[in-house]
Amino acid sequence: MDLRETLAALKSEAMSALESAGGAELDALRVKYLGKKGEITAILKQMGGLPAAERPVIGQLANEVRAELEKSIEERARELSEKALEMRLRAEAVDVTIPGSAPKIGKKHPMYSVLDQVKDVFIGMGFEILEDREVELAEYNFTRLNVEEGHPAREWSDTFYFTEDASILLRTQTSPMQIHAMETHKPPIRILAPGRVYRKDEVDATHSPMFHQIEGMAIDKGITMADLKGTLDAVVKQLYGEESVTRFRPHHFPFTEPSCEVDIQCHKCHGRGCPTCKDEGWIELLGAGMIHPKVLASCGIDPEVYSGWAFGMGLERMAMGHYKISDLRLIFENDVRFLEQF
Ligand code: DAH
């Protein structure tokens, strides 16, 4: 066969092989036809036997065939990679018109909503929020709050102690925060200290061995019971509305003198008595009073110069009143069906 015909046959054979070649075959074809030991090279090697005048003609022809094959292989390679990309895009396509599955978003716990409202009101009046330890010294939880050893509140049956000598305990109230604040701040002091407290109570609809209190305290020159009444009255009005009514009843706490308990008139029956207020017309909100001079003095604050008020309120009870929750246990069980209602 004439070399021309050989080249033409090689070209058409290569072209038809290319048409159906896949990615891996493409490389093999490149080697087969264009490689150093490939078929075109083999043809060029045979040119020695040609008449001199034929050589450049065949040489040029061979180069043309080589160039065409190179171009076709390149084109085929591009075609294959475009096809592969298209298939991948199709496989990975996201249909943005399909409705998504909405993620379940949690909500703030009703008790913490109430706490945030209380914090906001006090922050608005210039109070600083303090949070601190729940494991406390009996000295801070009791002694320095004027609750002497032997006082019934210090009974082993009421308090979770850590040590045989009853010197370390889970705080039974947030009132030790008063002592911490007086130790770390100089008057004038205005603090609000929310947190967990612990008592040996059996769980029922109104009791839990762990619950939350919010302690408040203000110390400055010339602070009187009128400031306590005015402040708490303003707080209650901001929380429960302008028409809310408060009542201050005399009471006894070892760390305040005088002491009182503060009730809010039942918002449901306006004092007439109903199931919400257990027919009393009033709902107990907190304990409060003027800080005992002994307590101030034990923290190095001169009771002849400074005076102050303090209060402590139960957060769960507030939340229960706020959201008409009938059972304390619901607040801690964290049943989603319950929490979703708020
Ligand atoms: N700590 C008291 C309790 O747990 C509540 C209390 C009463 C706090 C009077 C005070 C206060 O700061 O002045 O029952």
Side-chain angles (χ1 to χ4, degrees):
M1 215 195 315
D2 174 273
L3 279 183
R4 267 174 237 270
E5 285 168 23
T6 312
L7 275 169
L10 179 145
K11 185 179 153 191
S12 82
E13 177 197 302
M15 289 301 195
S16 76
L18 267 180
E19 261 172 45
S20 58
E25 289 149 356
L26 215 53
D27 271 335
L29 288 177
R30 195 195 310 272
V31 173
K32 181 174 178 215
Y33 293 108
L34 307 176
K36 266 189 201 148
K37 294 175 182 165
E39 298 197 7
I40 288 188
T41 312
I43 289 171
L44 289 173
K45 276 181 185 160
Q46 292 175 41
M47 286 206 310
L50 289 177
E54 279 280 284
R55 282 179 211 161
V57 181
I58 297 296
Q60 195 188 349
L61 195 62
N63 281 336
E64 276 168 22
V65 171
R66 176 199 294 280
E68 272 175 76
L69 285 185
E70 271 171 1
K71 205 173 127 211
S72 298
I73 289 175
E74 229 167 76
E75 264 169 23
R76 179 65 184 155
R78 192 176 326 120
E79 203 178 289
L80 283 171
S81 87
E82 274 169 12
K83 216 184 231 170
L85 176 67
E86 196 187 306
M87 272 163 66
R88 216 184 76 205
L89 289 178
R90 202 171 294 162
E92 291 175 359
V94 174
D95 183 350
V96 292
T97 63
I98 294 175
S101 49
K104 275 209 154 209
I105 294 181
K107 284 190 200 170
K108 193 169 273 174
H109 190 286
M111 194 184 72
Y112 281 95
S113 305
V114 171
L115 176 58
D116 282 348
Q117 289 172 39
V118 176
K119 278 182 176 175
D120 278 352
V121 171
F122 277 94
I123 288 170
M125 296 192 301
F127 281 64
E128 178 191 348
I129 309 295
L130 283 191
E131 282 178 46
D132 209 304
R133 69 211 80 184
E134 293 168 17
V135 175
E136 193 49 275
L137 296 174
E139 189 192 338
Y140 283 72
N141 192 81
F142 293 129
T143 316
R144 293 181 63 184
L145 288 164
N146 202 28
V147 181
E148 305 287 352
E149 262 176 65
H151 190 285
R154 300 183 73 147
E155 292 283 331
W156 277 77
S157 56
D158 294 344
T159 302
F160 294 104
Y161 287 103
F162 287 100
T163 52
E164 283 298 327
D165 66 356
S167 61
I168 302 174
L169 45 75
L170 282 173
R171 66 180 180 189
T172 64
Q173 50 185 356
T174 44
S175 300
M177 286 305 293
Q178 295 182 26
I179 310 295
H180 290 300
M182 285 187 249
E183 283 187 344
T184 53
H185 294 60
K186 278 195 160 55
I189 303 171
R190 287 198 216 99
I191 59 112
L192 191 78
R196 294 190 188 94
V197 301
Y198 302 84
R199 293 181 195 175
K200 277 192 186 169
D201 284 327
E202 295 289 335
V203 176
D204 66 23
T206 53
H207 292 87
S208 159
M210 186 281 293
F211 57 102
H212 296 72
Q213 287 188 333
I214 307 176
E215 198 79 11
M217 182 177 81
I219 300 174
D220 203 347
K221 290 177 180 161
I223 295 267
T224 69
M225 194 88 180
D227 296 299
L228 172 66
K229 286 194 75 171
T231 305
L232 290 180
D233 216 47
V235 169
V236 165
K237 282 186 161 57
Q238 283 195 57
L239 288 174
Y240 295 105
E242 272 304 313
E243 65 293 343
S244 319
V245 183
T246 50
R247 176 175 80 173
F248 290 68
R249 276 182 293 107
H251 202 76
H252 169 77
F253 296 103
F255 37 90
T256 41
E257 182 57 38
S259 305
C260 61
E261 279 193 328
V262 180
D263 305 327
I264 174 169
Q265 194 175 67
C266 181
H267 42 82
K268 263 241 164 123
C269 63
H270 299 287
R272 281 188 300 276
C274 72
T276 298
C277 58
K278 296 198 195 88
D279 269 336
E280 290 182 4
W282 298 85
I283 299 167
E284 189 189 313
L285 201 59
L286 53 86
M290 299 304 293
I291 303 170
H292 199 293
K294 270 171 86 171
V295 175
L296 289 172
S298 90
C299 295
I301 294 176
D302 186 350
E304 297 296 329
V305 179
Y306 290 101
S307 55
W309 54 250
F311 70 81
M313 59 189 178
L315 182 53
E316 282 82 0
R317 190 183 297 180
M318 272 192 86
M320 287 169 79
H322 206 87
Y323 291 110
K324 321 240 181 322
I325 299 166
S326 56
D327 193 314
L328 176 66
R329 287 166 287 201
L330 291 166
I331 290 187
F332 300 122
E333 275 165 3
N334 287 337
D335 187 324
V336 173
R337 293 166 302 177
F338 167 73
L339 295 173
E340 271 172 354
Q341 300 174 50
F342 304 100

